């Protein structure tokens, strides 16, 4: 039996948004399942000294241009959010709360949250917005609101982040396929080759 | 008439090495010529706060893994140099000296210098090594040695670096196609699409 493809991402990562829209079609094409693991990269960025992409001198203006062009490349709607980056504890918690009840529904929610942020400029760091996005998919507002404040859900997210850091995840999107790490939406072609033919 | 594709790179950049081996075949396939512009990115890295890839915590060990895997992906010999990164004024000067006499020969020299550094672990920051690589291609040792110390050649390199910074070049490889900037060997597929069909 083949192992599931693991997909780590931060809800504040635009390239993570692109990858989230593509990775499951790729996995399915080669008979693989996937496990999605949203995390908060703030702590990791402190270690790696990384700054928000769009704020880096010289690189920042290119990054904005590349994001828009890459969105068209991936055929996805995109609008640079007016608040960027954001802290994404609320969407992460909503994700894990739902994941433990219905993993497929959690993936649908993750993509809806990503679209809300990167296509509709809605600030998903605001719990109200996250709750509204979930409600639109049929999840009860009170139930989601409660989940976002549930100590067990908070702990669940913390455990995922710790495990990701332990594993060396330092960016978004980050994939692990058969134990092999791949970082970046740029690596989707290499991941496809790996899934099709194995190591090269 | 179509405009030449411009290719900026630092001789200390492994992804620049990969790109140098591929870019002219790509340009030629779509009836384009190219202009190569080696530069020194040290000054730019101070502005962008970028550190040598392999020395960044967490990211560094992934980078080494990705470089080896990407070298196989591009089907190129690769060995992480024992001294990395290096200051590459000598190879840059040799390049521009030769470029002003024979642009095609300068491209052949650039690829030989890249191979010496990234496939044979020879420290091309050492003028002697750069001179030896050039000599192997039939360029007189004394002539090259003189060029490396020629104030006009030094000035030529400085002018190229200033022009690149003025233009916003902040990394290697960096391409400009019809005024459109692309950064990274990862963007070769987008460059190919641009050359084949224009903007998307």
């Amino acid at each position: 039996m083949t192992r599931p493809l693991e997909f780590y991402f931060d809800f504040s990562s635009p390239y993570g948004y692109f990858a989230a829209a593509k990775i499951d079609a790729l996995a399915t094409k080669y008979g693989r399942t996937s496990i999605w693991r949203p995390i908060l990269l703030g702590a990791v960025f402190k270690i790696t000294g990384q700054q928000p992409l769009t704020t880096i001198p010289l690189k920042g203006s290119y990054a904005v241009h590349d994001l828009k062009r890459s969105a068209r490349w991936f055929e996805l709607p995109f609008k640079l959010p007016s608040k960027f980056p954001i802290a994404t504890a609320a969407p992460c918690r909503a994700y894990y709360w739902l994941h433990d009840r219905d993993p497929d529904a959690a993936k649908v929610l993750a993509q809806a949250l990503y679209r809300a942020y990167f296509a509709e400029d809605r600030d998903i760091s605001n719990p109200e917005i996250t709750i509204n996005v979930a409600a639109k998919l049929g999840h009860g507002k009170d139930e989601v609101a409660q989940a976002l404040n549930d100590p067990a859900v908070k702990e669940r997210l913390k455990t995922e982040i710790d495990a990701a850091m332990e594993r060396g995840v330092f960016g978004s999107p980050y994939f692990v396929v058969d134990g092999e790490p791949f970082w970046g939406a740029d690596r989707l072609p290499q991941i496809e080759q790996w899934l099709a033919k194995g190591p090269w």
Side-chain angles (χ1 to χ4, degrees), chain A:
Chain A
M1 212 188 107
T2 58
R3 289 151 74 184
L5 186 158
E6 288 169 272
F7 169 40
Y8 293 89
F9 59 98
D10 188 309
F11 276 108
S12 194
S13 156
Y15 295 102
Y17 160 56
F18 302 155
K22 301 296 171 185
I23 194 63
D24 272 20
L26 196 58
T28 305
K29 184 174 170 188
Y30 297 97
R32 298 285 188 116
T33 57
S34 72
I35 299 172
W36 292 21
R37 300 188 192 280
I39 51 170
L40 304 178
L41 281 168
V44 179
F45 280 16
K46 271 183 203 145
I47 295 171
T48 58
Q50 197 171 321
Q51 287 178 358
L53 203 57
T54 54
T55 66
I56 302 169
L58 292 175
K59 218 178 211 170
S61 62
Y62 172 82
V64 172
H65 187 78
D66 185 66
L67 283 171
K68 292 175 182 172
R69 186 175 60 203
S70 291
R72 297 194 303 272
W73 171 261
F74 287 115
E75 300 182 327
L76 293 170
F78 180 77
K79 192 168 173 257
L80 192 70
S82 34
K83 196 176 157 198
F84 176 83
I86 53 170
T88 55
C92 281
R93 287 177 194 155
Y95 176 89
Y96 284 113
W97 164 76
L98 188 54
H99 173 80
D100 293 345
R101 280 150 192 78
D102 183 343
D104 286 338
K107 289 181 182 181
V108 172
L109 174 61
Q111 291 188 286
L113 288 163
Y114 255 147
R115 273 195 310 274
Y117 184 48
F118 284 116
E120 298 156 17
D121 195 9
R122 293 166 68 196
D123 177 6
I124 57 172
S125 71
N126 180 339
E128 290 305 315
I129 306 280
T130 282
I131 291 165
N132 285 340
V133 171
K136 194 105 186 242
L137 296 171
H139 307 293
K141 282 194 178 194
D142 291 348
E143 214 181 349
V144 180
Q146 209 163 10
L148 297 188
N149 287 309
D150 183 341
V153 173
K154 291 182 183 182
E155 192 55 34
R156 174 87 162 82
L157 171 58
K158 204 178 159 304
T159 305
E160 287 286 348
I161 295 168
D162 289 348
M165 290 191 65
E166 187 77 25
R167 201 171 190 176
V169 176
F170 60 84
S172 167
Y174 189 100
F175 310 90
V176 181
V177 190
D178 305 329
E180 184 79 4
F182 293 91
W183 171 49
D186 315 299
R187 287 293 173 274
L188 289 172
Q190 290 195 12
I191 291 173
E192 173 147 24
Q193 166 119 333
W194 185 282
L195 293 172
K197 303 179 184 176
W200 58 88

